[in-house]
Amino acid sequence: MKKRTTLMVLIFATTICCYNSYGIAGTKKIMAHYMPWHQSKPFRGFWGSHWNKGSYFDPPTTVASHYYPLLGPYDSSDPHVLASQALLMKFAGIDGMIADWYGITDFWDYGLIRDSTNCFIPYIKEAGLEFSICYEDQTVKHMLNNHYFGADANDRIPAVAHGVEVMQWLQTNYFTDPSHLKIDNRPVLLCFGPQFFTDDEWTTLFAALNPKPHFFPLKYHPVSYPTRTGEFDWPDPSYGTEGVISRLDSFYSRAAYMHWEHFVAGAFPRFHDIYAQAGGTSYGYIDDEGVYGTYGTSTYSYTLERALQSNADIVELVTWNDYGEGTIIEPTVEDGYLYLEITQQLRKQYVDVDFSYTAADLRLPVRLYTLRKENLSNPAIMAQLAAAEDYLFADNLSGAGKILDQIECTVSFAGDLDGDCRVNINDLHVLASAWLRNEPSADIAPAGGDGIVNFMDFAVLADNWLTNAP
């Protein structure tokens, strides 16, 4: 009897350890599909095609999207952007990012995407997150057709040799990294396709890798076993909003029918591309709301909740920032922090009941980045903001918030000369000490000051007397 009781306790403890009350595996990972392909003129000297689509749009006034980033049109190698994005992911309850990745060469913009991915990974790791990639093997097709490997565009031998080189590069630089996403100690690799390499060629690409990756092609792009493990889901905009339920049903039924031991579920907020407005053809449209029965009306909530209820090891959020296709969950002018707040709520419900970050916490990384943009030429404030970033990565959110509050008062609240977020006798003392001198810090007259501290500055102080910063 004692042995039976002990056995029952062990079974119960194991069950509690590995599953929450919904029966969802505690090891389920929520990963954001990330596009490291944006270039901005303020950072790099030119606007990349993903912001301007050639001459169709005029950043920063207009961008190649129906949606506008709350961070503004940014550069995917800007360290200030990357720090804030990694922190946003962490505070939203996202476990890491899957980079949309174009290989290792400098052909077209592939090298820029490689470099931007490499720039982001250290911030992902500092946030305690994981990373993986989704390889676009169509890149090799474009290289072959454009004679990158030689004059004969039909000779696949050098293209396959290049693929082998890419996989070995991945193993050396990514797969062995402790922060790379893994299942059973094997690295996870997605492929948007395959659109070029054949089954036999993938076998060749993986031959020298040890361990071989868990390979997930895009759904309905068959790759034979044992090369592939399962598949990953993606929106089907040609079926419209009314097709969301049936397409998800089809994917999850396929996973069960194929007896996939592992697969990648997908969740998305909508599909609203800009391609027709940029001179091309739209892939279709999925609205951000639909008819989802007991799940409600939000497309993102519905797709994410079904993914979290599934047997998938990985839930891929499609996407963090594909502005061209409108599948953005990072903060935008139009939607604010909506999708990250939903992610927080559903993570707490299905994955981690002790998840503690709040909607208010999501504002901190954006405030950090906004203040950095506004104060690039002020070394003292930039140093304070670097300290705030360190606090955020160290989970000292209150300390970071105090720094951000202080800076916002100092730079934006006319009359608050001592930085205590209130106009009072202390500020009058600062003004008096600078009276009739050229002191820029106390020259608070309208239009950026008149070069001297005088009655115009006193008038601003009087107008704000005993008021608090907004």
Side-chain angles (χ1 to χ4, degrees):
M1 181 66 180
K2 184 176 180 181
K3 290 182 179 180
R4 180 182 300 177
T5 302
T6 302
L7 179 60
M8 290 175 65
V9 169
L10 286 173
I11 294 173
F12 178 75
T14 303
T15 302
I16 294 298
C17 171
C18 300
Y19 293 88
N20 66 19
S21 60
Y22 289 88
I24 308 300
T27 56
K28 190 184 296 290
K29 297 293 177 67
I30 302 175
M31 305 290 289
H33 192 102
Y34 181 84
M35 306 302 187
W37 60 22
H38 296 99
Q39 296 87 40
S40 74
K41 189 173 183 178
F43 182 82
R44 194 179 295 269
F46 65 90
W47 291 108
S49 63
H50 291 282
W51 288 132
N52 64 15
K53 290 296 180 187
S55 59
Y56 284 96
F57 300 91
D58 185 24
T61 305
T62 60
V63 297
S65 179
H66 298 287
Y67 309 92
Y68 198 90
L70 205 56
L71 299 179
Y74 52 77
D75 195 288
S76 295
S77 289
D78 183 345
H80 296 158
V81 170
L82 301 177
S84 289
Q85 288 180 325
L87 289 165
L88 281 168
M89 289 181 185
K90 177 180 181 179
F91 297 164
I94 296 169
D95 294 299
M97 68 91 180
I98 299 173
D100 204 83
W101 195 77
Y102 281 54
I104 60 176
T105 67
D106 292 324
F107 181 79
W108 291 355
D109 64 346
Y110 304 168
L112 294 177
I113 293 171
R114 172 204 61 211
D115 294 344
S116 291
T117 302
N118 289 340
C119 287
F120 196 19
I121 289 172
Y123 292 97
I124 288 292
K125 295 168 68 172
E126 188 174 1
L129 307 181
E130 296 179 294
F131 72 94
S132 184
I133 71 160
C134 180
Y135 180 41
E136 296 262 6
D137 75 328
Q138 65 170 316
T139 56
V140 185
K141 175 178 65 178
H142 297 319
M143 294 164 67
L144 183 64
N145 291 341
N146 285 273
H147 307 291
Y148 180 87
F149 303 112
D152 187 357
N154 295 312
D155 184 4
R156 297 178 67 92
I157 293 176
V160 174
H162 173 76
V164 170
E165 181 185 3
V166 169
M167 292 301 128
Q168 291 175 341
W169 188 96
L170 286 173
Q171 176 158 273
T172 301
N173 294 277
Y174 288 174
F175 291 165
T176 56
D177 192 305
S179 295
H180 193 282
L181 180 65
K182 297 178 177 68
I183 298 175
D184 303 329
N185 293 317
R186 290 170 55 189
V188 170
L189 172 66
L190 278 64
C191 176
F192 206 87
Q195 300 183 56
F196 178 72
F197 291 121
T198 66
D199 273 13
D200 289 342
E201 289 168 345
W202 279 110
T203 300
T204 301
L205 266 57
F206 292 152
L209 303 187
N210 185 25
K212 291 179 173 51
H214 278 295
F215 185 51
F216 298 92
L218 178 63
K219 64 179 180 180
Y220 309 125
H221 284 67
V223 176
S224 63
Y225 293 108
T227 304
R228 66 103 175 259
T229 299
E231 296 176 4
F232 71 92
D233 198 12
W234 200 259
D236 291 307
S238 62
Y239 288 83
T241 310
E242 62 277 7
V244 169
I245 294 177
S246 63
R247 298 308 291 167
L248 283 186
D249 288 344
S250 176
F251 178 76
Y252 291 126
S253 295
R254 178 174 170 81
Y257 175 77
M258 300 292 289
H259 301 291
W260 292 333
E261 184 179 359
H262 307 288
F263 67 96
V264 182
F268 50 90
R270 64 166 77 82
F271 191 100
H272 189 193
D273 66 38
I274 200 72
Y275 299 141
Q277 291 81 356
T281 303
S282 172
Y283 284 120
Y285 176 75
I286 297 173
D287 196 78
D288 58 357
E289 289 194 355
V291 180
Y292 302 117
T294 57
Y295 287 93
T297 61
S298 167
T299 299
Y300 185 64
S301 295
Y302 169 69
T303 56
L304 180 53
E305 194 163 5
R306 282 202 63 177
L308 291 171
Q309 291 172 341
S310 75
N311 294 322
D313 305 80
I314 300 163
V315 174
E316 184 177 29
L317 308 180
V318 181
T319 63
W320 180 263
N321 60 341
D322 191 338
Y323 282 88
E325 297 189 350
T327 55
I328 317 112
I329 66 165
E330 77 169 343
T332 62
V333 171
E334 293 76 15
D335 296 311
Y337 300 82
L338 173 64
Y339 298 117
L340 299 189
E341 291 175 1
I342 292 173
T343 307
Q344 286 183 329
Q345 295 161 8
L346 293 182
R347 180 183 184 89
K348 188 175 182 67
Q349 179 178 353
Y350 285 100
V351 179
D352 181 6
V353 296
D354 296 321
F355 182 74
S356 60
Y357 293 110
T358 67
D361 298 334
L362 294 170
R363 276 68 179 167
L364 294 171
V366 174
R367 290 173 63 196
L368 171 67
Y369 177 70
T370 301
L371 286 170
R372 279 175 153 164
K373 281 202 303 184
E374 295 171 348
N375 296 280
L376 286 172
S377 60
N378 190 322
I381 291 180
M382 292 300 284
Q384 294 178 61
L385 292 170
E389 178 188 308
D390 290 341
Y391 276 152
L392 289 174
F393 276 112
D395 267 345
N396 185 350
L397 274 59
S398 61
K402 289 177 182 178
I403 294 175
L404 299 179
D405 289 342
Q406 183 76 30
I407 293 172
E408 286 170 345
C409 289
T410 303
V411 302
S412 64
F413 188 38
D416 178 33
L417 300 177
D418 67 341
D420 65 352
C421 298
R422 181 171 174 80
V423 179
N424 53 26
I425 193 66
N426 298 324
D427 306 293
L428 179 59
H429 176 72
V430 174
L431 193 69
S433 299
W435 192 251
L436 297 182
R437 297 208 311 268
N438 182 5
E439 290 285 352
S441 62
D443 188 12
I444 56 175
D450 57 0
I452 189 170
V453 179
N454 54 24
F455 283 105
M456 294 182 66
D457 306 289
F458 181 82
V460 172
L461 189 80
D463 286 341
N464 292 288
W465 187 251
L466 296 183
T467 58
N468 296 321

